[in-house]
């Protein structure tokens, strides 16, 4: 797991490949009507600044996604319709204001973009007490069984 988004805290946790916490970023998540769906997702694409601005202009008339977009699909590969991206409204960080995506400060989304690669996993949970974050049971080898650590829900 490289990223855990905790919706009710409006925080995104970035871990290195060995599981050590690297950074904590503030975020904005979906509204009650257009919620950010909890579950296990994976990075399936990354758009740089030019691509992000072009998509924002095409869909919303301006560079609303900030300088980067990280596209997410469900862990099984099906489209989630959600992304991690920057913002043109930094004052709304810490609120439930998006259309389901997870917005970050523009400097933070660049750090996430640089740290993540296609195939990295992202867990989106409602709270830090989410039952899907509990430690997985050990296997007969003594190593944790991570196959069910975070359930993918649609």
């Amino acid at each position: 797991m490289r990223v855990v988004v905790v919706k009710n805290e409006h925080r995104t946790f970035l871990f290195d490949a060995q599981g050590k916490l690297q950074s904590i970023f503030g975020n904005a998540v979906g509204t009650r009507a257009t919620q950010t769906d909890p579950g296990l997702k994976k990075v399936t694409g990354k758009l740089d600044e030019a691509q992000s601005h072009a998509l924002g202009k095409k869909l919303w008339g301006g560079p609303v996604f900030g300088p980067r977009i990280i596209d997410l699909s469900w862990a099984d590969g099906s489209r989630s319709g959600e992304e991690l991206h920057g913002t043109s409204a930094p004052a709304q960080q810490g609120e439930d204001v998006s259309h389901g995506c997870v917005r970050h400060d523009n400097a933070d989304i660049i750090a996430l973009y640089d740290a993540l690669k296609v195939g990295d996993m992202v867990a989106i949970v409602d709270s830090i007490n989410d039952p899907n974050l509990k430690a997985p049971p050990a296997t007969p080898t003594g190593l944790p069984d991570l196959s069910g650590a975070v359930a993918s829900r649609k």
Side-chain angles (χ1 to χ4, degrees):
M1 191 67 51
R2 292 297 314 279
V3 171
V4 176
V5 173
V6 182
K7 291 172 31 177
N8 77 343
E9 293 185 9
H10 295 101
R11 294 195 302 168
T12 298
F13 297 81
L14 173 66
F15 298 89
D16 68 14
Q18 291 72 42
K20 183 179 177 189
L21 181 63
Q22 294 296 296
S23 298
I24 302 172
F25 306 110
N27 68 41
V29 296
T31 67
R32 185 172 292 173
T34 57
Q35 293 188 26
T36 305
D37 291 323
L40 186 60
K41 317 255 172 101
K42 69 179 172 181
V43 174
T44 52
K46 296 169 60 176
L47 280 66
D48 64 20
E49 188 164 10
Q51 295 166 319
S52 176
H53 287 180
L55 184 61
K57 185 173 182 180
K58 176 182 174 184
L59 296 177
W60 299 99
V64 298
F65 298 119
R68 304 285 189 278
I69 297 174
I70 301 168
D71 191 42
L72 302 176
S73 290
W74 290 100
D76 67 6
S78 62
R79 178 143 171 71
S80 72
E82 296 171 351
E83 293 88 26
L84 306 177
H85 61 74
T87 185
S88 61
Q92 293 180 332
Q93 292 299 90
E95 298 179 24
D96 298 349
V97 293
S98 80
H99 292 96
C101 293
V102 183
R103 297 180 189 174
H104 294 87
D105 179 78
N106 290 333
D108 296 344
I109 196 61
I110 291 171
L112 286 163
Y113 181 95
D114 291 346
L116 295 174
K117 64 184 185 314
V118 171
D120 283 340
M121 302 307 286
V122 175
I124 298 178
V125 297
D126 290 323
S127 72
I128 204 72
N129 294 320
D130 191 298
N132 294 311
L133 288 178
K134 298 223 183 301
T139 65
T141 65
L143 298 173
D145 176 8
L146 299 177
S147 62
V150 179
S152 177
R153 296 182 289 172
K154 290 188 181 178

